[in-house]
Amino acid sequence: MALRPDEFYNRAVAAADDERRLPLARMTGWEISPFEPDGLRVSPLRPPVLPEPARHGEDPADCDTCRNRDEGIWFNERWRLIRIPGVGVPLALMLLPLDHHDMADLPDELAAELGLLSTRIVRHMQALPHVSRAHVYRFGDGGAHLHVWFFARPEGQAQLFGSWLIAWDDLLPAYPSDVADADAAAVVDALIESHGGHRLSDPADSLPA
């Protein structure tokens, strides 16, 4: 059984200083870290908040993701793919189920398709010129509607390896939108070929009610 919230907090604070600041992570010493350890300070560890605040969209009737289900660059009867604008990496995409599901309650059929789609999206992103890797992330603390992120890591940028890529993405200047649009279109072309589906603008296509 996992530690209770108070047990987890007390154990962590025991390793912190008088201001409840934990030591810097070993990750800050990695050569791929975007930050130099000198001058960095860890934020004080705050006590647990119980009950946890509700995530956005816990009630499907209030879910913006559900309301925006007709927005995207690729669709099929169960999923949609969107491009995230304003990022620093070459391409950031997000895959979402059309219906209101989180990871834990995803029906088996959709869970199986999620695996296929994730593999194919990664494959098509990594086929783009000057993209070396496509990293996949799932975070579920902000929104209750499942959303899976795909980040393209630019070729040759060794500092952007691995888990620090998200931090670097937030520091880099916005990537040229026209280039990202063209690369996203290439991914969609390949996804339609490998998995089916369509663009929203394709003739005679419409989303299920």
Side-chain angles (χ1 to χ4, degrees):
M1 180 185 297
L3 296 176
R4 298 192 313 266
D6 60 312
E7 292 174 329
F8 182 93
Y9 176 72
N10 291 336
R11 185 173 184 276
V13 166
D17 63 17
D18 292 341
E19 295 183 323
R20 292 177 284 110
R21 299 180 191 273
L22 292 161
L24 285 177
R26 291 185 298 274
M27 292 172 62
T28 58
W30 294 356
E31 63 180 8
I32 60 174
S33 171
F35 309 109
E36 295 180 351
D38 291 346
L40 277 181
R41 288 205 307 171
V42 178
S43 297
L45 187 64
R46 295 188 289 268
V49 176
L50 297 170
E52 291 190 2
R55 299 175 298 171
H56 174 76
E58 293 284 8
D59 181 353
D62 297 325
C63 178
D64 288 339
T65 302
C66 288
R67 280 194 286 269
N68 297 330
R69 70 198 307 263
D70 60 345
E71 296 179 1
I73 59 174
W74 174 90
F75 299 84
N76 71 6
E77 295 80 6
R78 296 162 298 278
W79 299 90
R80 66 186 175 104
L81 188 69
I82 63 176
R83 182 176 84 76
I84 307 300
V87 298
V89 296
L91 189 61
L93 304 176
M94 183 185 286
L95 181 67
L96 311 100
L98 288 178
D99 293 333
H100 192 83
H101 296 291
D102 201 354
M103 180 73 85
D105 63 36
L106 202 62
D108 287 350
E109 180 183 2
L110 269 69
E113 189 176 21
L114 174 61
L116 282 172
L117 274 170
S118 297
T119 299
R120 288 167 176 165
I121 292 168
V122 166
R123 182 181 300 146
H124 302 327
M125 290 177 73
Q126 290 185 177
L128 295 170
H130 310 305
V131 169
S132 286
R133 299 283 183 273
H135 297 317
V136 185
Y137 302 90
R138 180 261 173 177
F139 306 102
D141 283 332
H145 194 124
L146 174 63
H147 48 292
V148 180
W149 299 80
F150 299 82
F151 280 77
R153 199 259 296 159
E155 181 181 26
Q157 293 295 327
Q159 277 184 288
L160 275 61
F161 279 13
S163 53
W164 276 118
L165 179 65
I166 296 178
W168 279 109
D169 172 69
D170 206 36
L171 296 167
L172 291 164
Y175 198 80
S177 181
D178 58 336
V179 179
D181 282 339
D183 282 343
V187 170
V188 169
D189 287 341
L191 191 58
I192 291 172
E193 180 70 22
S194 67
H195 197 86
H198 57 83
R199 293 178 172 82
L200 185 62
S201 59
D202 286 349
D205 280 328
S206 60
L207 291 179

